[in-house]
Amino acid sequence: MTSTSVFTALAPYGWDDAWADEFAPYDAEGLLAGRVVRVDRGQCDVVTADGLLRADTAFVTPHDPLRVVCTGDWVAVEPGGNPRYVRTYLPRRTAFVRSTSSKRSEGQILAANVDHAIVAVSLAVELDLGRIERFLALAWESGAQPVVVLTKADLVPDAVTLSHLVQDVETTAPGVTVLTVSAHDGDGLDVLAAVVSGGTSVLLGQSGAGKSTLANALVGADVMDVRAARDVDGKGRHTTTTRNLLALPGGGVLIDTPGLRGVGLFDAESGVGQVFSEIAELAERCRFHDCAHEAEPGCAVLAAIASGELGERRLESYRKLIRENQRIVAKTDARVRAELRKDWKRRGAEGKAAMEAKRGRVR
């Protein structure tokens, strides 16, 4: 098969000249280029110029959860054999990773080579701004551009109320586009379709956020199973159980993911900094470069809290995510562990000195 026919067949899935150059050594070996559209129990479905193939992933470092084949990967597949095998995947441009629930604090890759991370948030329940910030931190860290989509907008008929909700999310998500969409009546779908038409997008969010309904609306067909969310809390069941890559009729590729109950950070320091960019800007004006923004004199962050420029909830959320990320990194990085222990000892000594000074004043 010629390179032109391969390009024509795979272009709808994101194939470009740069991917072709990366694949050239494997093409010389007679391997097939393809993109993983679904992974299931050690095997994957791969779209190639020869059609959709089923391949085994055993050759690709199965014991490292960050190096397993995942949805969105571009891979080199054996042209024949029973079973077929994926030989390798091409270097990832971006990777969406969260920490697992295991005590080993491993990372789990959810999707690869993503351009836009669509964080779906249901307006059927009260907004959880802290959870949005958590999703955004992972999205920024992945290298993708986050977009927040407030789904089920038809359930908020009052325009003023809807405007306030959007404003709350925009304040929580600096530098991020916030869209309101109703798959029920079609409002906002054209804008979202325009966003996802340029590259690969991944749909993220909790069960019941309306991800599969959005996927069906964008594809223009009922390709994903949809079930109603519970009225009591707006939560849904996991109608999507695997990550599925879908080519969109208007251009672009969409990866739908299962609802995520746990969204743990995994070495996402820069992502957290991006989410809380206004705190980072304020911190540059603090008197001390290592200011912890707790009780230090000349702290610009605390001054912003006092003046109302920065909300206390925002600072507390920032502290929480920073602490969580430090714990995760410390479990896998001896140097960071040592630095944290040193910092804890310093803070303990400062606290002890402050207490002794206070007791001296009381006497």
Side-chain angles (χ1 to χ4, degrees):
M1 185 170 289
T2 67
S3 59
T4 301
S5 57
V6 170
F7 203 100
T8 301
L10 296 181
Y13 292 90
W15 188 255
D16 57 27
D17 289 334
W19 286 123
D21 290 343
E22 288 277 3
F23 190 77
Y26 305 107
D27 184 44
E29 294 180 31
L31 299 177
L32 296 176
R35 193 165 196 191
V36 177
V37 299
R38 185 172 180 268
V39 177
D40 181 27
R41 297 172 185 171
Q43 292 189 315
C44 62
D45 293 333
V46 184
V47 61
T48 72
D50 288 347
L52 189 66
L53 306 177
R54 188 75 166 164
D56 196 294
T57 65
F59 277 146
V60 188
T61 320
H63 302 299
D64 184 342
L66 291 181
R67 297 179 65 189
V68 298
V69 171
C70 76
T71 304
D73 272 327
W74 286 101
V75 295
V77 184
E78 293 177 346
N82 186 20
R84 294 176 187 265
Y85 285 96
V86 172
R87 286 283 188 86
T88 188
Y89 60 80
L90 300 185
R92 293 161 176 159
R93 294 178 182 175
T94 62
F96 193 96
V97 180
R98 67 167 177 175
S99 67
T100 66
S101 57
S102 74
K103 294 182 179 180
R104 294 192 299 271
S105 300
E106 296 174 331
Q108 177 192 21
I109 184 164
L110 300 180
N113 302 312
V114 172
D115 301 294
H116 297 99
I118 310 297
V119 180
V121 180
S122 173
L123 290 175
V125 294
E126 184 177 354
L127 288 177
D128 185 342
L129 298 178
R131 181 167 287 271
I132 294 174
E133 289 162 341
R134 181 178 292 273
F135 270 112
L136 290 175
L138 292 176
W140 281 120
E141 190 69 32
S142 76
Q145 171 67 46
V147 178
V148 176
V149 175
L150 303 178
T151 66
K152 308 182 184 181
D154 54 289
L155 299 181
V156 188
D158 182 66
V160 175
T161 301
L162 183 59
S163 176
H164 286 317
L165 291 172
V166 171
Q167 187 175 20
D168 286 345
V169 176
E170 287 177 337
T171 301
T172 300
V176 176
T177 298
V178 179
L179 304 176
T180 57
V181 171
S182 170
H184 180 265
D185 56 26
D187 286 350
L189 282 175
D190 55 340
V191 179
L192 179 58
V195 171
V196 301
S197 66
T200 298
S201 301
V202 61
L203 268 174
L204 305 162
Q206 289 182 284
S207 297
K211 300 186 303 301
S212 294
T213 301
L214 273 184
N216 287 340
L218 291 169
V219 174
D222 291 338
V223 293
M224 305 303 297
D225 185 25
V226 176
R227 300 177 191 172
R230 298 191 300 244
D231 291 335
V232 64
D233 56 10
K235 294 182 180 179
R237 288 170 288 178
H238 291 293
T239 55
T240 302
T241 56
T242 57
R243 285 167 277 282
N244 301 277
L245 185 147
L246 311 164
L248 301 176
V253 175
L254 183 70
I255 299 175
D256 190 20
T257 65
L260 300 175
R261 290 193 181 95
V263 193
L265 300 184
F266 185 79
D267 197 4
E269 181 179 357
S270 63
V272 174
Q274 190 81 31
V275 175
F276 299 92
S277 57
E278 79 278 30
I279 295 179
E281 291 173 4
L282 287 167
E284 292 179 357
R285 304 203 298 266
C286 290
R287 180 182 301 177
F288 304 108
H289 75 277
D290 59 347
C291 183
H293 320 308
E294 293 178 351
E296 297 87 344
C299 175
V301 174
L302 295 181
I305 292 288
S307 69
E309 179 185 354
L310 179 67
E312 289 188 18
R313 186 210 67 81
R314 187 86 169 140
L315 179 57
E316 283 304 312
S317 183
Y318 169 75
R319 288 170 172 164
K320 178 180 179 181
L321 293 184
I322 286 292
R323 287 194 300 266
E324 177 183 327
N325 192 68
Q326 286 178 332
R327 287 196 298 271
I328 291 295
V329 173
K331 289 180 180 179
T332 56
D333 191 317
R335 180 184 58 81
V336 174
R337 284 200 302 270
E339 289 179 354
L340 282 177
R341 280 197 295 268
K342 183 178 179 181
D343 187 56
W344 291 335
K345 289 180 180 178
R346 177 181 63 80
R347 290 180 183 278
E350 290 174 351
K352 183 178 180 180
M355 183 62 69
E356 290 176 350
K358 184 178 180 180
R359 289 172 178 168
R361 288 195 298 271
V362 170
R363 291 172 186 170

